[in-house]
Amino acid sequence: MTNHDTLRDRALAFRALHIPGTPLVLPNAWDVTSARIVEDAGAAAVATTSAGLSWALGSADGDRLDRDRALAAVARIAEVVEVPVSADVETGYGKDPAAVGDTMRAVIEAGAVGVNIEDALYEAGTGPLRPVAEQAERISAAREAADAAGVPVFVNARIDTFLRGAGGVDLTLERAAAFLAAGADGIFVPGAVDPKTVELLAEGIDAPLNVMAGPGAPPVAELASLGVARVSVGSAVAQAVHAGTRLAAQELLGAGTYDTLAGGLEFGELNQLMAGRRNI
């Protein structure tokens, strides 16, 4: 089987995991070790978090990391796991649709079969969201690049209406319809966790709905009952890990004790997990 055939099969398998009512659950990873741990825990796929990945590479999140460094990290993850990989590419790592198409080709080259492309704007003096028509062109460019490569990459269009306080259900549905018409396969609405809101979005979007959960959000079973097809947690796992690092450092440097280090994964378990990885 060629690499192209492998990617195509993984892309089809990843698509099939998006089932309303039986959601794909993704504890987002940010490096090789977290990806292997997530896979070993039983995840059907691995999705990166742009924030966690950016932090691991010494950068802030929000379109500050360059494409090559981001996708080199994605490639390392895709090389060590057997399950499909989806890459969070922020706004697409490019100023125009042509650059977003280049990013999609690089995503495929990295071995990922899914992408998140968000509609937020981060430059000073811009609105919180990219204009609908402009964002639709960027999604269309990504779709065309994937189709030309013969790999049915799952394009998850992220809509930041709720996350950035830019609108509610109606505006979100309008943007979702435009992005689906442009070639998106799914819609991701982080910040929307109120059950009634989630239900309205699931009913009004003619595609798999992805929500971002975490402390305070309904449990996965409830989100499933509302029609959600994908549940991810963004940077939350990375944040929890880094909080543990800070607590351990503060205890060691302060009291000089080691209580916060108790309960960690055993050295042998982690070493064996990484020893069993595919070669990189």
Side-chain angles (χ1 to χ4, degrees):
M1 178 179 289
T2 66
N3 183 55
H4 178 275
D5 289 336
T6 301
L7 283 177
R8 184 176 185 280
D9 288 346
R10 285 187 182 176
L12 292 172
F14 185 61
R15 283 175 169 272
L17 294 171
H18 295 76
I19 305 171
T22 309
L24 169 62
V25 180
L26 298 168
N28 300 80
W30 60 94
D31 61 8
V32 166
T33 306
S34 60
R36 284 291 289 119
I37 290 171
V38 165
E39 181 186 40
D40 188 65
V46 168
T48 64
T49 156
S50 67
L53 190 148
S54 294
W55 299 334
L57 295 176
S59 176
D61 190 33
D63 271 355
R64 294 178 175 87
L65 187 64
D66 68 85
R67 177 201 292 152
D68 290 346
R69 293 184 69 210
L71 293 182
V74 171
R76 287 193 292 274
I77 289 171
E79 288 172 347
V80 302
V81 298
E82 299 291 343
V83 297
V85 173
S86 182
D88 184 339
V89 297
E90 303 189 59
T91 66
Y93 300 129
K95 293 287 189 181
D96 54 34
V100 177
D102 291 339
T103 294
M104 177 60 87
R105 285 182 279 274
V107 163
I108 295 170
E109 181 66 24
V113 294
V115 291
N116 283 5
I117 302 176
E118 63 193 71
D119 63 356
L121 285 171
Y122 296 100
E123 295 180 9
T126 63
L129 303 181
R130 194 179 298 275
V132 173
E134 184 180 333
Q135 181 68 3
E137 289 179 358
R138 295 168 71 84
I139 290 171
S140 180
R143 174 84 279 143
E144 290 173 5
D147 290 348
V151 180
V153 176
F154 189 96
V155 178
N156 205 27
R158 177 174 139 176
I159 300 176
D160 279 1
T161 41
F162 284 87
L163 194 63
R164 309 199 77 186
V169 171
D170 289 344
L171 181 60
T172 303
L173 294 179
E174 289 176 14
R175 296 178 77 86
F179 301 160
L180 291 171
D185 300 292
I187 299 296
F188 179 24
V189 189
V193 292
D194 171 73
K196 184 58 179 178
T197 297
V198 172
E199 185 176 33
L200 289 172
L201 291 173
E203 291 175 350
I205 294 172
D206 189 22
L209 173 65
N210 178 187
V211 299
M212 185 169 69
V220 171
E222 183 176 350
L223 293 171
S225 72
L226 298 172
V228 171
R230 176 167 162 176
V231 179
S232 52
V233 294
S235 61
V237 177
Q239 288 174 256
V241 169
H242 298 325
T245 301
R246 180 165 66 181
L247 286 173
Q250 288 173 335
E251 182 189 7
L252 181 60
L253 297 170
T257 52
Y258 324 102
D259 292 343
T260 52
L261 299 179
L265 288 176
E266 292 292 335
F267 175 90
E269 181 182 358
L270 270 174
N271 216 37
Q272 182 59 42
L273 181 65
M274 298 309 294
R277 75 198 192 286
R278 299 189 307 177
N279 291 329
I280 56 174

